[in-house]
Amino acid sequence: MGSYALITGASKGIGRAMAAQLATDGYNLLLIARSENELQTLSYELTARHNIKVYHLSADLSDHLSPKTVANWCIDLHVDVSILVNNAGYGLWGNFEELELAEQMGMLQVNLNAVVELTYHLLPLLKKQERAYVLNVASTAAYQALPTLAMYAASKAFIISFSRAIRYELKDTSVSVTVLSPGPTDTNFAHRAGLDGLADLADKFNMQPADVARIGLKGMLVGKAEIIPGFLNKLSAYGAKHLYKAWIEHISAGLYRNAK
């Protein structure tokens, strides 16, 4: 198979698991993350194990210039890109007015702007393929307002709406768009967000990154619009959609208030 899959946030967690799964399936890889050392190690490992081609680029997607840099890198490589996985993202815990605005805007750049820009710049490459896919990673946090994770939840709600809209716009092309909304997963998310106080609770409900990656990629390849892996995550998303919003917000606020 000569086509390539581009994965952002590829060095850890779900992104790393997706890279491993796609390598197993015979895809060549374009890996994006901040850590050059982690990317290099992963690239060597997947190349040796699966006899595929792997290119990697160290890029900080909180820099507004990075998405265009990534797109130009792909063009300069002259490779056939058939899958784009917009996986990079993180959260910040705390009251909106108490968090540094610059930090929150940096998070939005990664969670939201980079997704939009990479999709925009890479669509011409994807549309050249007989069949191509975009997989945008959102979160079950997207289905309700989350006090103390306000900007994170809102950014992921955008990803769901954006993904479903462009999916419809592209329905007569070769490109299928899917959005994946994981719930709690055994990654570094909680620590990065400052939610260490919820670690013990999260451990009871965490899915493994490999399971999330397998479910997400399988759904993407069969053209699903929206994927929520795990029964409890589906149930929580359903409840968030259909139960009284103020009640859900009150429960969420109580859960996250003492997270540190």
mmCIF file of all heavy atoms in Angstrom, residues 35-53:
data_model
loop_
_atom_site.group_PDB
_atom_site.id
_atom_site.type_symbol
_atom_site.label_atom_id
_atom_site.label_comp_id
_atom_site.label_asym_id
_atom_site.label_seq_id
_atom_site.Cartn_x
_atom_site.Cartn_y
_atom_site.Cartn_z
ATOM 1 N N SER A 35 7.585 16.536 20.312
ATOM 2 C CA SER A 35 8.861 15.960 20.750
ATOM 3 C C SER A 35 9.582 15.256 19.609
ATOM 4 O O SER A 35 9.138 14.212 19.129
ATOM 5 C CB SER A 35 8.619 14.967 21.892
ATOM 6 O OG SER A 35 9.801 14.270 22.196
ATOM 7 N N GLU A 36 10.707 15.791 19.195
ATOM 8 C CA GLU A 36 11.517 15.177 18.152
ATOM 9 C C GLU A 36 12.018 13.805 18.585
ATOM 10 O O GLU A 36 11.987 12.838 17.803
ATOM 11 C CB GLU A 36 12.701 16.082 17.823
ATOM 12 C CG GLU A 36 13.766 15.464 16.931
ATOM 13 C CD GLU A 36 13.285 15.198 15.507
ATOM 14 O OE1 GLU A 36 12.352 15.901 15.053
ATOM 15 O OE2 GLU A 36 13.834 14.286 14.860
ATOM 16 N N ASN A 37 12.473 13.683 19.838
ATOM 17 C CA ASN A 37 13.024 12.416 20.306
ATOM 18 C C ASN A 37 11.968 11.316 20.316
ATOM 19 O O ASN A 37 12.231 10.180 19.887
ATOM 20 C CB ASN A 37 13.611 12.579 21.706
ATOM 21 C CG ASN A 37 14.879 13.411 21.711
ATOM 22 O OD1 ASN A 37 15.555 13.531 20.682
ATOM 23 N ND2 ASN A 37 15.211 13.993 22.852
ATOM 24 N N GLU A 38 10.776 11.627 20.804
ATOM 25 C CA GLU A 38 9.711 10.625 20.854
ATOM 26 C C GLU A 38 9.269 10.229 19.454
ATOM 27 O O GLU A 38 9.005 9.048 19.180
ATOM 28 C CB GLU A 38 8.535 11.150 21.671
ATOM 29 C CG GLU A 38 8.827 11.261 23.159
ATOM 30 C CD GLU A 38 7.663 11.823 23.940
ATOM 31 O OE1 GLU A 38 6.674 12.252 23.322
ATOM 32 O OE2 GLU A 38 7.741 11.831 25.188
ATOM 33 N N LEU A 39 9.201 11.192 18.555
ATOM 34 C CA LEU A 39 8.822 10.892 17.178
ATOM 35 C C LEU A 39 9.864 10.018 16.494
ATOM 36 O O LEU A 39 9.531 9.075 15.768
ATOM 37 C CB LEU A 39 8.646 12.188 16.384
ATOM 38 C CG LEU A 39 7.355 12.965 16.592
ATOM 39 C CD1 LEU A 39 7.418 14.289 15.839
ATOM 40 C CD2 LEU A 39 6.148 12.166 16.126
ATOM 41 N N GLN A 40 11.103 10.334 16.727
ATOM 42 C CA GLN A 40 12.184 9.564 16.104
ATOM 43 C C GLN A 40 12.172 8.118 16.592
ATOM 44 O O GLN A 40 12.288 7.175 15.795
ATOM 45 C CB GLN A 40 13.532 10.216 16.404
ATOM 46 C CG GLN A 40 14.683 9.653 15.597
ATOM 47 C CD GLN A 40 15.948 10.484 15.784
ATOM 48 O OE1 GLN A 40 16.519 10.516 16.870
ATOM 49 N NE2 GLN A 40 16.376 11.160 14.729
ATOM 50 N N THR A 41 12.002 7.936 17.889
ATOM 51 C CA THR A 41 11.938 6.581 18.451
ATOM 52 C C THR A 41 10.768 5.804 17.884
ATOM 53 O O THR A 41 10.901 4.632 17.486
ATOM 54 C CB THR A 41 11.826 6.649 19.984
ATOM 55 O OG1 THR A 41 12.974 7.317 20.525
ATOM 56 C CG2 THR A 41 11.719 5.259 20.584
ATOM 57 N N LEU A 42 9.602 6.443 17.830
ATOM 58 C CA LEU A 42 8.408 5.781 17.299
ATOM 59 C C LEU A 42 8.578 5.451 15.821
ATOM 60 O O LEU A 42 8.189 4.371 15.368
ATOM 61 C CB LEU A 42 7.184 6.675 17.508
ATOM 62 C CG LEU A 42 5.845 6.134 16.991
ATOM 63 C CD1 LEU A 42 5.486 4.809 17.668
ATOM 64 C CD2 LEU A 42 4.732 7.165 17.211
ATOM 65 N N SER A 43 9.154 6.365 15.066
ATOM 66 C CA SER A 43 9.365 6.141 13.633
ATOM 67 C C SER A 43 10.254 4.930 13.393
ATOM 68 O O SER A 43 9.950 4.070 12.547
ATOM 69 C CB SER A 43 9.994 7.382 12.992
ATOM 70 O OG SER A 43 9.130 8.495 13.075
ATOM 71 N N TYR A 44 11.363 4.844 14.127
ATOM 72 C CA TYR A 44 12.270 3.695 13.986
ATOM 73 C C TYR A 44 11.549 2.387 14.349
ATOM 74 O O TYR A 44 11.683 1.367 13.665
ATOM 75 C CB TYR A 44 13.499 3.871 14.877
ATOM 76 C CG TYR A 44 14.472 4.921 14.414
ATOM 77 C CD1 TYR A 44 15.332 5.550 15.317
ATOM 78 C CD2 TYR A 44 14.552 5.289 13.072
ATOM 79 C CE1 TYR A 44 16.238 6.519 14.902
ATOM 80 C CE2 TYR A 44 15.447 6.260 12.645
ATOM 81 C CZ TYR A 44 16.286 6.877 13.556
ATOM 82 O OH TYR A 44 17.172 7.833 13.142
ATOM 83 N N GLU A 45 10.793 2.433 15.426
ATOM 84 C CA GLU A 45 10.100 1.238 15.911
ATOM 85 C C GLU A 45 9.089 0.734 14.883
ATOM 86 O O GLU A 45 9.058 -0.467 14.571
ATOM 87 C CB GLU A 45 9.386 1.587 17.222
ATOM 88 C CG GLU A 45 8.510 0.480 17.773
ATOM 89 C CD GLU A 45 7.705 0.953 18.967
ATOM 90 O OE1 GLU A 45 8.273 1.683 19.814
ATOM 91 O OE2 GLU A 45 6.513 0.615 19.055
ATOM 92 N N LEU A 46 8.268 1.619 14.330
ATOM 93 C CA LEU A 46 7.234 1.203 13.393
ATOM 94 C C LEU A 46 7.820 0.790 12.040
ATOM 95 O O LEU A 46 7.317 -0.136 11.400
ATOM 96 C CB LEU A 46 6.214 2.329 13.205
ATOM 97 C CG LEU A 46 5.391 2.685 14.456
ATOM 98 C CD1 LEU A 46 4.468 3.862 14.177
ATOM 99 C CD2 LEU A 46 4.593 1.477 14.945
ATOM 100 N N THR A 47 8.884 1.464 11.629
ATOM 101 C CA THR A 47 9.543 1.091 10.374
ATOM 102 C C THR A 47 10.123 -0.312 10.460
ATOM 103 O O THR A 47 9.952 -1.140 9.555
ATOM 104 C CB THR A 47 10.659 2.094 10.038
ATOM 105 O OG1 THR A 47 10.102 3.401 9.899
ATOM 106 C CG2 THR A 47 11.345 1.712 8.741
ATOM 107 N N ALA A 48 10.800 -0.593 11.559
ATOM 108 C CA ALA A 48 11.433 -1.899 11.728
ATOM 109 C C ALA A 48 10.406 -3.012 11.876
ATOM 110 O O ALA A 48 10.570 -4.110 11.339
ATOM 111 C CB ALA A 48 12.354 -1.873 12.949
ATOM 112 N N ARG A 49 9.340 -2.735 12.593
ATOM 113 C CA ARG A 49 8.357 -3.779 12.896
ATOM 114 C C ARG A 49 7.444 -4.093 11.723
ATOM 115 O O ARG A 49 7.042 -5.242 11.529
ATOM 116 C CB ARG A 49 7.524 -3.353 14.102
ATOM 117 C CG ARG A 49 6.500 -4.396 14.570
ATOM 118 C CD ARG A 49 5.784 -3.921 15.808
ATOM 119 N NE ARG A 49 6.720 -3.707 16.917
ATOM 120 C CZ ARG A 49 6.362 -3.167 18.078
ATOM 121 N NH1 ARG A 49 5.119 -2.767 18.273
ATOM 122 N NH2 ARG A 49 7.268 -3.012 19.031
ATOM 123 N N HIS A 50 7.118 -3.078 10.905
ATOM 124 C CA HIS A 50 6.084 -3.261 9.892
ATOM 125 C C HIS A 50 6.575 -3.061 8.459
ATOM 126 O O HIS A 50 5.782 -3.171 7.529
ATOM 127 C CB HIS A 50 4.915 -2.308 10.170
ATOM 128 C CG HIS A 50 4.281 -2.516 11.510
ATOM 129 N ND1 HIS A 50 3.468 -3.591 11.790
ATOM 130 C CD2 HIS A 50 4.368 -1.789 12.661
ATOM 131 C CE1 HIS A 50 3.059 -3.515 13.043
ATOM 132 N NE2 HIS A 50 3.586 -2.430 13.597
ATOM 133 N N ASN A 51 7.839 -2.733 8.304
ATOM 134 C CA ASN A 51 8.403 -2.554 6.959
ATOM 135 C C ASN A 51 7.606 -1.535 6.140
ATOM 136 O O ASN A 51 7.218 -1.776 4.995
ATOM 137 C CB ASN A 51 8.475 -3.887 6.211
ATOM 138 C CG ASN A 51 9.333 -3.789 4.962
ATOM 139 O OD1 ASN A 51 10.278 -3.002 4.887
ATOM 140 N ND2 ASN A 51 9.000 -4.586 3.951
ATOM 141 N N ILE A 52 7.339 -0.398 6.756
ATOM 142 C CA ILE A 52 6.629 0.695 6.089
ATOM 143 C C ILE A 52 7.536 1.917 6.053
ATOM 144 O O ILE A 52 8.610 1.925 6.662
ATOM 145 C CB ILE A 52 5.317 1.057 6.829
ATOM 146 C CG1 ILE A 52 5.644 1.475 8.284
ATOM 147 C CG2 ILE A 52 4.328 -0.108 6.782
ATOM 148 C CD1 ILE A 52 4.471 2.056 9.029
ATOM 149 N N LYS A 53 7.088 2.945 5.360
ATOM 150 C CA LYS A 53 7.811 4.214 5.338
ATOM 151 C C LYS A 53 7.183 5.158 6.366
ATOM 152 O O LYS A 53 5.963 5.300 6.430
ATOM 153 C CB LYS A 53 7.756 4.831 3.948
ATOM 154 C CG LYS A 53 8.498 4.032 2.881
ATOM 155 C CD LYS A 53 8.410 4.714 1.531
ATOM 156 C CE LYS A 53 9.150 3.907 0.468
ATOM 157 N NZ LYS A 53 9.047 4.541 -0.873
#
